[in-house]
Amino acid sequence: MSEETITIGWRAPSNIALIKYWGKRANQLPENGSLSITLDKSTTTTYLSFQKKKAGDQNISLRYFFHGVQQSQFEKKTRELLNSLLTEMPFLADYELVFKSENNFPHSTGIASSASSMSALALCLVSMEEKVTGNQLKHEDFYQRGSIIARLGSGSASRSLYGGIVTWGTIPSIDQSSDDYATPFLFPGESRLNRVMDIILIVSSKEKAVSSSKGHALMKAHPYREGRKDQANANMAEITNAIRNNDYQTIALISENEALSLHALLMTSGPEGLLLKPDTLHIIEEIKLFRETSGLDLFYTIDAGPNVHLIYYEDQREQVLSFVRQTLSPYCEGGQWIDDKIGSGPIQMTS
Ligand code: DP6
């Protein structure tokens, strides 16, 4: 094996779930199926450089730089993930690994970056595997393997391997769907959904009081645990049908129900689960009012935090932008919002 350093790079997007993954079983398997829109502009770019180590040291050897600064927290999390992968990727112990990663969405916006960062990392690992083993995977197999590895890093990251609308979890109406990896959700023909857009309204940029991992753990003994699974399965069946039939009202209804259900589960998990802010509720009220008066097909969704995603269609962009500037931006921290849209998935970087 040569002593040269090889560098691989991937840019991977974040995603926003309409059907929420909330609660997990052993080894990062979801309690329910989830469905998300892959974003376009909110991305992480990660480069992995690797060089063969001298024989003998069988520990994972890595350094992790985020925006040029070495980060011990990222090193710890990545080392844990790579250790857990050693049985199937034994070569990881044979190399000095250096990760250099950057997010292109602004710092301290409270936007979760685990989906984009773990999917970019997973893609780097699968590319490295191809290089060191000389075994070239078929296109579908490459992304499926990436999705499995991304899932082990962060569940929602499994969906960021694909563009468009993506599901993760075994879903009766979707062939080949699995709890192990995500599946691109195909819908027939030309659709307005192919051009859906997302404005992320930053209500608070503070770190969340409850991390997603803690929130998932709290679902284990949650009094509504079984009911939540039934609800998520029913919502999944309804939204996938609605997407196939271009039924925007139902897509909106289910998505908003999922967002509020996630927060109902959080609030009933414990006192720290109240993550919505007064301005989150103001924004929700304004969106409902604007939808009623304008007749537009927009709707909102919210992740496990106070920020609101306003989902709308490209052909309504001008009206929505003026609504956001005039009515919603005063509720945003420092007037801050991110203008994003549906994206086409990860891209490989040339180093
Ligand atoms: C509310 O994927 O961040 O955003 O698997 O512990 O890393 P871990 O959790 P994470 O959970 C995301 C939860 C969610 C809903 C979703 O994206 O489906």
Side-chain angles (χ1 to χ4, degrees):
M1 186 67 65
S2 91
E3 298 284 309
E4 62 172 334
T5 300
I6 298 176
T7 300
I8 281 160
W10 280 91
R11 173 169 295 157
S14 186
N15 66 72
I16 175 68
L18 301 186
I19 303 292
K20 309 291 183 183
Y21 146 55
W22 201 239
K24 56 178 151 182
R25 302 178 271 126
N27 217 12
Q28 293 274 109
L29 295 170
E31 288 285 13
N32 63 269
S34 54
L35 176 144
S36 57
I37 298 170
T38 296
L39 297 180
D40 184 50
K41 294 186 192 155
S42 306
T43 61
T44 299
T45 306
T46 299
Y47 289 95
L48 163 61
S49 302
F50 54 96
Q51 186 180 31
K52 194 98 165 121
K53 279 200 273 189
K54 294 195 181 66
D57 176 9
Q58 275 313 294
N59 293 318
I60 295 280
S61 154
L62 74 86
R63 281 177 295 153
Y64 201 117
F65 296 85
F66 184 61
H67 288 268
V69 181
Q70 195 165 355
Q71 291 281 351
S72 56
Q73 270 304 95
F74 287 20
E75 286 175 353
K76 186 168 172 277
K77 180 137 200 205
T78 310
R79 184 168 288 109
E80 278 166 18
L81 175 65
L82 301 197
N83 271 320
S84 74
L85 291 171
L86 270 180
T87 323
E88 53 177 315
M89 292 184 151
F91 60 86
L92 290 172
D94 300 335
Y95 291 83
E96 302 276 353
L97 309 168
V98 179
F99 295 92
K100 289 186 181 159
S101 151
E102 293 193 357
N103 287 350
N104 77 338
F105 40 97
H107 289 303
S108 14
T109 47
I111 300 293
S113 60
S114 68
S116 53
S117 63
M118 283 300 167
S119 49
L121 177 81
L123 284 162
C124 288
L125 295 179
V126 182
S127 285
M128 176 182 176
E129 181 174 48
E130 282 196 335
K131 283 237 185 311
V132 303
T133 62
N135 180 17
Q136 205 76 15
L137 295 175
K138 281 205 305 237
H139 186 266
E140 303 89 84
D141 295 342
F142 180 89
Y143 284 92
Q144 194 172 90
R145 185 152 175 75
S147 180
I148 292 171
I149 290 168
R151 182 200 98 228
L152 293 169
S154 177
S156 54
S158 65
R159 300 184 306 242
S160 278
L161 273 285
Y162 303 101
I165 295 181
V166 183
T167 65
W168 167 40
T170 307
I171 297 153
S173 71
I174 300 179
D175 288 348
Q176 263 130 52
S177 60
S178 164
D179 284 350
D180 293 330
Y181 48 80
T183 311
F185 182 66
L186 303 173
F187 43 91
E190 267 294 296
S191 167
R192 261 169 106 207
L193 275 165
N194 279 326
R195 298 186 300 278
V196 81
M197 306 197 102
D198 177 14
I199 287 177
I200 310 165
L201 301 145
I202 311 299
V203 170
S204 169
S205 59
K206 287 214 190 75
E207 208 173 308
K208 294 179 288 186
V210 186
S211 68
S212 293
S213 296
K214 191 165 173 209
H216 290 294
L218 288 169
M219 283 307 290
K220 286 208 162 74
H222 199 289
Y224 305 152
R225 181 191 148 115
E226 291 309 313
R228 166 57 192 159
K229 282 196 249 177
D230 295 343
Q231 178 200 38
N233 292 338
N235 277 348
M236 179 64 90
E238 227 180 312
I239 207 166
T240 46
N241 256 337
I243 293 171
R244 289 184 182 111
N245 297 327
N246 294 331
D247 170 0
Y248 304 111
Q249 265 87 25
T250 305
I251 296 168
L253 198 70
I254 300 290
S255 300
E256 294 183 358
N257 174 264
E258 278 286 308
L260 297 182
S261 298
L262 168 70
H263 282 272
L265 292 165
L266 269 159
M267 283 183 225
T268 45
S269 287
E272 70 276 54
L274 178 50
L275 303 182
L276 300 178
K277 300 283 178 208
D279 283 337
T280 312
L281 301 184
H282 283 131
I283 289 175
I284 290 177
E285 288 303 316
E286 295 289 4
I287 290 174
K288 282 163 62 182
L289 190 65
F290 180 65
R291 179 167 56 207
E292 254 171 60
T293 50
S294 68
L296 301 184
D297 294 316
L298 44 87
F299 62 92
Y300 66 84
T301 185
I302 314 173
D303 259 346
N307 302 326
V308 182
H309 290 248
L310 173 60
I311 313 289
Y312 66 101
Y313 300 97
E314 192 186 34
D315 49 19
Q316 303 175 335
R317 183 163 168 80
E318 285 318 308
Q319 286 141 289
V320 171
L321 282 182
S322 64
F323 164 61
V324 167
R325 286 193 189 108
Q326 278 164 29
T327 312
L328 300 185
S329 70
Y331 297 115
C332 297
E333 187 183 83
Q336 212 186 347
W337 48 276
I338 297 174
D339 189 12
D340 212 333
K341 61 178 181 176
I342 194 166
S344 50
I347 50 168
Q348 185 155 21
M349 309 303 285
T350 47
S351 41

